[in-house]
Amino acid sequence: MSLVEELTPREAAGKALADLGDLRNDVVVLVADTGETTRARFFAERHPDRFFNVGIAEQAMAAIAAGLASAGFMPYALTFAAFMARAWEIIRNSIARLNLPVRLVGTHAGFSDAYDGPSHQALEDLALFRVLPNFTVIAPADSCETYRAVMASAEVKGPVYIRVGRDFHVPTTCDMYKVFEVGKGYVALDGHDVALLTTGQMLSFALDAAHILKEKGISAAVLHFPTVKPLDLTLLSRYARTVKAIVTVEEHVVHGGFGSAVAEALINLGPKPMAIMGVKGFGRTAKSPADLYQFFGLTPDNIAARAEELISLSR
Amino acid sequence: MGVGSLSELACEARRRLLIMAAYDPGIHIGSSLSVLDILTALYGTGRVRFNAHNGLSTRNYLVLSKGHAVHAIYALASVFGYLNLDELRETGSLGSRLQNHPEDDTPFVDVSNSGSLGLGIGMAVGLALGLRLRGATGRVYLVTGDGELDEGVSWESFAVVASYGLSNVVTIVDLNNAQLDGPSDEVLKKGDLAGRFKAMGFFVQTVDGHDVDKLVEALEAAEKAGAPSVIIARTVRGKGVQGLEGSIKQRIPRDEALELAGRLSCR
């Protein structure tokens, strides 16, 4: 995987698709004038017959992907995550309702398209896809996990949404585990005072926060949930019973996303003092995603501070 | 089966549509009547079949993008002996497989993403791409209303048909000039529909959508065209039922439905 580690997340997705195309001849790829920007080009170069560019037409892309799935193929449709939402009603009626094996890959998710500002920064996509029946929702942390998630998605029966960043990533999962299982959460760091729960690219930030907490004598577990839906309730309940508080961190609005999914689960498992860290409102134009993490209070220091606060309140 | 007998079967299907309407106020009777002769030409000539289950195949597909007219298919299926009257009476009931828009388990329709308008068009394009990838000779017969051509996704999808030269899609527009808020050409200008398709490179024919003979001829020409093709079928909402023909009525009360069925003469 060392090669994948050096790729950006979108490149890792493109490479996975190309490799998947070698393994399975039912895989077809659609883009909405986004063959280059999503790096679906990697697939097109190896499998030109199975690559379709429908132009700047996300709705047609979704509807045609449904048709290809009905014809027995396994379509992967890629565009910017923010623009995938434009086809939401079609995705609902043509893909989710029929439970078709269409895989939607939303790239440039979260803050990863810092330059283009709020219009291009998808911070609502987890919520949008989470509410659709039959959908599996995956938000990988880095390029290694993106590659594994795309490869693993081929085994999922129903529709899948995979959220992929543009270029920013901190390689974290490459040596963390060997096999990516859809629906499984991972213990990135064990601990017993507080659990920091992450999805997507916030994993490395949470690990840094745990080290900050450790220096203060607080033992923080870091639990990584690349699959937001279905959520790994086994892992969640194991830690929810023992820790004093839970902090979720996501590059997404605080409404309806990963933190909401955890909170919904905890209602049944046994509520805990909890903080949902994310974004309130739209993104901003900036020179780099790092500036945006700072601006929106999603840094290791911020995460550690919230955890400390919750622990002190729960005493 | 001769075209003459097809017209008689279509007439009998109209009677059964009225009987269904007597039991199910959810039926879009006007739209079902306008598209019935088109569907008779497709099912009656064996181009598409009354498959009990939808799903994967290399056969011909029918995509009824104006899914609210699915009762026309149920009526035809019963005339051809694939459904009995008992089941027709249950149309639209909770638990019936004859839903008021095609759903995943609805028989006699190959795909079921319609209901929301314009979606069947993209679905048909995906099916056609799939058939081509398999090297299969099957065709996709796409039946769309004129109202749903307001939807952007319709034209996005037709552009893909044109760009990929999908000659295995035969589109039939049920041009009944009616949509929810009034005449289609008044609600939103459709412009010169034939011209719009021609400009994209489609082989375009315009026919009387109630002349089954002419419809079959047009289908044969479309299949030989070797290019994306569209048949613009001029139709009348409520066709074939005195009192409904040309009216904006879409849902009718039980007494009226039964009376109209009784008065319908198919000879």
Side-chain angles (χ1 to χ4, degrees):
Chain A
M1 292 288 273
S2 62
L3 187 62
V4 172
E5 192 170 341
E6 290 158 18
L7 299 176
T8 65
R10 58 174 163 166
E11 288 170 342
K15 176 177 164 46
L17 288 176
D19 292 351
L20 206 51
D22 290 343
L23 299 173
R24 302 182 61 129
N25 59 15
D26 60 343
V27 169
V28 295
V29 170
L30 297 99
V31 295
D33 194 33
T34 43
E36 179 59 44
T37 46
T38 63
R39 301 296 188 260
R41 168 170 61 80
F42 297 170
F43 179 91
E45 285 165 357
R46 245 188 267 171
H47 312 285
D49 295 347
R50 287 186 269 148
F51 177 78
F52 305 106
N53 191 341
V54 303
I56 309 169
E58 294 79 15
Q59 298 181 62
M61 180 172 74
I64 293 169
L68 278 158
S70 292
F73 289 88
M74 182 179 288
Y76 282 77
L78 297 86
T79 189
F80 290 30
F83 308 144
M84 196 72 87
R86 186 172 212 154
W88 191 85
E89 188 267 351
I90 291 172
I91 292 164
R92 174 188 184 273
N93 273 326
S94 291
I95 297 172
R97 181 163 66 100
L98 305 188
N99 199 13
L100 289 171
V102 174
R103 286 80 176 86
L104 304 173
V105 181
T107 63
H108 299 63
F111 291 135
S112 67
D113 187 352
Y115 311 119
D116 288 307
S119 69
H120 284 56
Q121 290 163 6
L123 297 169
E124 319 80 13
D125 51 333
L126 294 178
L128 287 174
F129 286 97
R130 209 165 71 76
V131 295
L132 287 176
N134 295 325
F135 253 92
T136 294
V137 179
I138 305 174
D142 54 22
S143 295
C144 293
E145 193 163 64
T146 299
Y147 181 87
R148 288 166 168 158
V150 171
M151 297 300 278
S153 67
E155 303 303 323
V156 179
K157 292 242 184 307
V160 184
Y161 175 71
I162 306 174
R163 174 186 227 230
V164 176
R166 184 179 185 266
D167 296 333
F168 173 88
H169 83 130
V170 181
T172 311
T173 69
C174 302
D175 300 315
M176 208 171 96
Y177 56 83
K178 287 279 176 261
V179 180
F180 182 93
E181 280 180 56
V182 176
K184 190 176 179 340
Y186 298 90
V187 181
L189 188 71
D190 201 8
H192 55 263
D193 291 328
V194 61
L196 310 178
L197 275 50
T198 68
T199 194
Q201 307 216 35
M202 301 316 295
L203 172 59
S204 69
F205 291 39
L207 283 166
D208 289 347
H211 290 126
I212 294 170
L213 290 167
K214 190 180 178 188
E215 286 171 13
K216 297 185 171 189
I218 298 170
S219 163
V222 176
L223 309 178
H224 176 52
F225 293 81
T227 308
V228 174
K229 184 188 166 194
L231 200 64
D232 186 344
L233 298 180
T234 308
L235 177 65
L236 179 60
S237 60
R238 175 147 51 98
Y239 278 84
R241 273 200 293 271
T242 54
V243 296
K244 296 188 190 80
I246 287 173
V247 179
T248 65
V249 196
E250 65 198 295
E251 199 176 327
H252 185 271
V253 289
V254 293
H255 306 105
F258 172 63
S260 297
V262 171
E264 288 164 18
L266 288 176
I267 290 297
N268 292 313
L269 299 173
K272 283 276 163 182
M274 183 176 167
I276 296 177
M277 295 186 72
V279 181
K280 289 171 182 164
F282 289 105
R284 304 278 291 184
T285 298
K287 295 276 194 324
S288 80
D291 292 346
L292 290 166
Y293 294 128
Q294 191 77 44
F295 182 84
F296 284 100
L298 290 171
T299 63
D301 285 331
N302 296 129
I303 297 166
R306 285 302 291 277
E308 225 182 335
E309 176 193 318
L310 278 186
I311 289 169
S312 69
L313 286 175
S314 67
R315 263 173 196 143
Chain B
M1 193 171 290
V3 166
S5 58
L6 283 183
S7 295
E8 283 167 29
L9 291 169
C11 184
E12 181 54 30
R14 288 189 155 90
R15 191 200 312 279
R16 295 190 186 198
L17 267 173
L18 290 165
I19 290 169
M20 271 189 275
Y23 287 91
D24 180 6
I27 285 182
H28 294 77
I29 189 77
S31 306
S32 295
L33 287 166
S34 82
V35 80
L36 187 76
D37 291 311
I38 295 166
L39 294 171
T40 301
L42 289 167
Y43 282 99
T45 56
R47 282 178 165 77
V48 295
R49 297 183 183 282
F50 294 102
N51 299 301
H53 304 286
N54 54 36
L56 170 65
S57 82
T58 52
R59 60 177 151 76
N60 291 347
Y61 286 94
L62 173 80
V63 178
L64 182 67
S65 194
K66 46 173 290 181
H68 53 281
V70 69
H71 302 90
I73 295 178
Y74 303 157
L76 275 173
S78 75
V79 170
F80 279 86
Y82 294 93
L83 270 179
N84 60 38
L85 276 174
D86 282 346
E87 193 160 359
L88 281 191
R89 279 194 291 271
E90 293 300 314
T91 301
S93 300
L94 196 60
S96 169
R97 58 178 185 156
L98 307 184
Q99 302 276 291
N100 283 350
H101 289 277
E103 300 299 334
D104 204 23
D105 53 355
T106 303
F108 318 127
V109 291
D110 292 321
V111 289
S112 54
N113 73 326
S114 54
S116 170
L117 292 169
L119 299 194
I121 302 173
M123 177 64 93
V125 177
L127 289 169
L129 285 170
L131 286 170
R132 179 188 274 193
L133 271 176
R134 283 188 202 293
T137 53
R139 286 194 182 84
V140 183
Y141 294 93
L142 163 65
V143 178
T144 156
D146 51 350
E148 62 184 323
L149 298 182
D150 289 350
E151 291 280 6
V153 69
S154 304
W155 296 101
E156 292 178 11
S157 304
F158 285 128
V160 176
V161 173
S163 288
Y164 282 87
L166 293 176
S167 56
N168 58 349
V169 183
V170 176
T171 301
I172 303 120
V173 180
D174 175 17
L175 188 87
N176 63 16
N177 195 34
Q179 56 194 90
L180 280 181
D181 272 351
S184 298
D185 52 8
E186 288 179 21
V187 174
L188 193 78
K189 283 197 190 311
K190 311 293 185 281
D192 170 13
L193 264 191
R196 287 173 78 176
F197 280 108
K198 273 180 195 153
M200 295 172 81
F202 279 67
F203 171 60
V204 185
Q205 304 175 83
T206 301
V207 300
D208 175 352
H210 296 302
D211 185 333
V212 178
D213 196 0
K214 289 284 194 308
L215 280 166
V216 173
E217 275 176 31
L219 286 168
E220 285 167 359
E223 288 153 2
K224 285 185 201 137
S229 64
V230 61
I231 297 168
I232 296 175
R234 296 192 171 281
T235 59
V236 176
R237 205 185 221 195
K239 176 71 183 180
V241 179
Q242 209 179 0
L244 292 181
E245 205 168 291
S247 88
I248 57 161
K249 284 185 187 172
Q250 191 71 299
R251 292 172 170 171
I252 54 175
R254 176 179 172 82
D255 290 349
E256 186 182 351
L258 288 175
E259 191 200 329
L260 290 170
R263 272 201 274 137
L264 196 64
S265 169
C266 290
R267 289 275 173 184

